[in-house]
Each structure stands twice: as C-alpha cells, then as structure tokens.
Amino acid sequence: MRKMRSHSASWRAAAALASVLLVGSVAACGNSDTGGGGTKDDGKITMGFSQVGAESGWRTANTISIKEAATAAGIELKFDDAQQKQENQIKAIRNYIQQKVDVIAFSPVVESGWDTVLKEAKDAKIPVILTDRSVDSADKSLYKTFLGSDFVKEGRLAGEWLVEQKKTASGPVNIVELQGSTGAAPANDRKKGFGEAIAANPNLKVIASQTGDFTRAGGKQVMEQFLKANKQIDVLFAHNDDMGLGALEAITAAGKVPGKDITIITIDAVKDGMQALADGKFNFIAECSPLLGPQLMDLAKKVKAGQEVPARIETEETTFTQAQAKEALPNRKY
C-alpha cells in the first residue's frame, strides 16, 4: 500500500512539473511575439509616456489630451511626470524598458543627452515616438517619428506680424524676449524663427532676452527685471502664453497699459491667453496646439504593427489677432 502511494505521489509531481514547463513555454512564446514589447501578446498595447511636467496651461491640456486619447483607443497608459528634469525622464524611460512596454513616447525636457537611453530602447526593440519636442540626436534610427509643431515657424509668424505692424516706424523699436526653458527645443527654435523674421526691419531690436522657464511666475519675475533695467520697452515677445500672462502683472504694476504701451506677442493660444488677446491685453498669438493625443495613439498602433510612418509629422495650427480671438473663444477646447 505504501508503495502504491509513492508511485501516485511521483506521478502527481511529474504532472505538476510538466504543467509548469508548458506554461513557461507558452509565456516565452508570447514574449517573443511582442518583439521586446509587452509582457503578453493579447493584442492590447501598453505605452509608457514621460511628460515634461505641468509648467503651463498648455502642458496641462496636452496631458489631458494624451490620457483621454489612450482610454478612447484602448491603450494602457503608464504615465510619468518628469517635473522638468531630464534625469527623471531618463529614469522613467529605463523603467518602461524594464517593464517591456510596447511603445515609449515622451516630450523631451531638453534637446541633448538622449542617445544612450534611446539606444537602450532600440536594443530592447521598443519603438520610441517623440511628441511636442524633438531631440538633436544624429542617429535618427533611435526613434520612429516626431509628432509636433514647427517651433521655428511659430517664432517666424510672430516676428512677421511685428514687422508688418512696425513697418512705418522711423526710430528704434525696443523688444524684450521671455524665453522658454534653457535648452528646450521650443525655446531654441522660437527664438531663431523670431530673430530671422525681424531681421527684415533694422529698427526692430531685441534689447533683453532671458528665460522665464515657460511659467507665469517666471514671466512676472523676469519682466519686472526688464522694466527696472530698461526705460523704454515697446514690445514683449513671450515664448508662451503663461509667461506673457505673468508679465501682464508686472507691466500693470509698473503703471503701464499692456497691449497699448507695450505690444505683447505670445505663442500657444491656450484659453487664458486667448482671453487676454480678446480683452486687448495681448496683441497677437501664434498657435501651438496641445491636442496631440489622438494622433499619438494612432501612431502607436501603427509602429506596434510594424507599419512605416513619416519621420516628421507636423500639427495643424494658425494665428490669432484680437478680433479672431473673440470669435474663437466660445468654442475653445483648451
């Protein structure tokens, strides 16, 4: 009797071992089918997304668009807020690689210093999509595509409007510039585009240019410094609405009328900025749409399926005068 129980126990142990080996084999096949992507090939896409932070109304709208679009597309989103620090983004991307997500997307805090971590993602066979901001990597194979605005064009449109407005100016027009975060693609490119455009009128001079880190608080603080250091300021060019809105407080506190004593040009066209434009406090806005979520999810599905996508996908945008802002505001989504 003892011998029979021993044989029975041995049979059960062998059966259990075979079951484990079978499950392990199936799991391994599932992993290989994902090409280094998700932990199981159930047709569901997992995306790891690292956001710059929450420094502005634009960024908040961008985050909402991405989260809502992921839900609508049935994509599992692993979201990380980098709090405007590159080291946080690199850590998040490495975590996504370890988790074997299907696609990694991120909006780079700055342009430089990404090659190493992007190569790690490439070696893990996880496609990367850049959103809103690009990187300066010479090896374009490190990412599949860049979805975002033409920041140089935005700066150029702002500058071209100013050139037209000041074409009859006989004397110097003093411009101060509130730059975005140092090293960030939109800051670099908007400055470049604006500078190229105003070169058409030698009377237009940028007399001071400093970063306000894309924040209202930064815009206010730097504008206060500009007003103290410069007796005559004719134009403010802010790289985003939030810095322009912060600058409004400093300009008003200095006893000047924004939109009249100082012409104000910004970029983004978020609702608060559009309201300031409609109210006559801003004079012109070049749009930069944050609603990239649906396009991003569509791209994620395509790259996961191995489809070819364009290396550069530009978002559709426009510009607004005061009258156009009044007309657009009632239906503004952000």
Side-chain angles (χ1 to χ4, degrees):
M1 196 70 174
R2 186 178 300 161
K3 191 172 182 180
M4 289 177 64
R5 281 199 298 268
S6 176
H7 281 306
S8 177
S10 298
W11 181 88
R12 285 197 299 270
L17 177 60
S19 176
V20 169
L21 291 174
L22 178 60
V23 170
S25 175
V26 171
C29 290
N31 281 339
S32 66
D33 287 344
T34 64
T39 55
K40 58 184 182 299
D41 189 11
D42 58 1
K44 187 177 182 67
I45 296 173
T46 300
M47 173 188 286
F49 185 88
S50 178
Q51 181 63 282
V52 171
E55 78 282 3
S56 64
W58 191 99
R59 190 62 57 188
T60 300
N62 181 240
T63 292
I64 291 171
S65 175
I66 289 165
K67 288 182 176 180
E68 289 182 346
T71 299
I75 290 177
E76 181 183 347
L77 184 69
K78 295 180 181 294
F79 185 90
D80 179 80
D81 182 340
Q83 300 178 327
Q84 295 182 285
K85 295 180 180 179
Q86 184 179 30
E87 59 268 29
N88 289 347
Q89 282 199 309
I90 291 173
K91 181 180 178 181
I93 292 168
R94 286 186 169 138
N95 283 338
Y96 295 146
I97 293 170
Q98 289 178 352
Q99 293 170 31
K100 298 181 180 178
V101 300
D102 296 300
V103 180
I104 292 173
F106 74 111
S107 180
V109 174
V110 295
E111 287 188 286
S112 301
W114 300 103
D115 284 26
T116 300
V117 73
L118 288 179
K119 189 175 187 306
E120 291 171 17
K122 182 180 178 180
D123 290 344
K125 295 183 173 59
I126 301 176
V128 174
I129 300 172
L130 305 178
T131 72
D132 172 44
R133 304 177 177 186
S134 189
V135 299
D136 62 5
S137 300
D139 184 357
K140 304 301 180 185
S141 72
L142 295 178
Y143 56 92
K144 290 293 184 181
T145 184
F146 164 44
L147 165 66
S149 304
D150 184 336
F151 300 130
V152 175
K153 180 181 177 181
E154 292 168 354
R156 188 181 301 119
L157 288 170
E160 288 172 350
W161 179 86
L162 183 60
V163 168
E164 177 62 25
Q165 295 298 305
K166 301 296 182 181
K167 63 184 178 183
T168 60
S170 57
V173 177
N174 293 333
I175 306 166
V176 294
E177 180 181 30
L178 285 169
Q179 297 181 42
S181 303
T182 303
N188 295 340
D189 292 351
R190 287 169 183 169
K191 181 177 181 63
K192 178 183 177 183
F194 184 77
E196 290 174 350
I198 66 171
N201 186 338
N203 288 323
L204 302 179
K205 299 288 185 183
V206 177
I207 60 171
S209 182
Q210 188 175 324
T211 180
D213 284 324
F214 283 128
T215 67
R216 292 196 191 194
K220 180 182 178 182
Q221 181 180 5
V222 176
M223 192 66 200
E224 287 172 344
Q225 296 171 11
F226 285 163
L227 289 162
K228 288 177 182 177
N230 303 279
K231 291 183 178 179
Q232 182 61 40
I233 296 175
D234 302 302
V235 179
L236 164 64
F237 170 47
H239 285 193
N240 77 339
D241 291 341
D242 278 76
M243 289 190 296
L245 292 164
L248 287 181
E249 298 180 45
I251 292 168
T252 303
K256 296 182 181 295
V257 180
K260 293 183 179 179
D261 294 334
I262 298 178
T263 298
I264 300 177
I265 305 166
T266 68
I267 295 175
D268 272 358
V270 296
K271 191 167 286 185
D272 286 352
M274 291 285 280
Q275 188 63 61
L277 183 59
D279 291 342
K281 296 176 180 179
F282 285 0
N283 300 84
F284 184 80
I285 298 178
E287 185 181 37
C288 179
S289 176
L291 307 181
L292 307 182
Q295 283 180 282
L296 175 58
M297 299 311 148
D298 182 55
L299 284 171
K301 290 180 178 180
K302 287 179 178 177
V303 298
K304 176 61 170 62
Q307 297 179 29
E308 288 295 321
V309 296
R312 175 72 168 94
I313 300 171
E314 189 175 326
T315 51
E316 293 183 8
E317 294 156 347
T318 185
T319 60
F320 294 95
T321 61
Q322 292 173 341
Q324 290 167 333
K326 288 180 182 178
E327 185 179 347
L329 258 175
N331 300 315
R332 202 70 181 157
K333 293 182 179 179
Y334 56 93

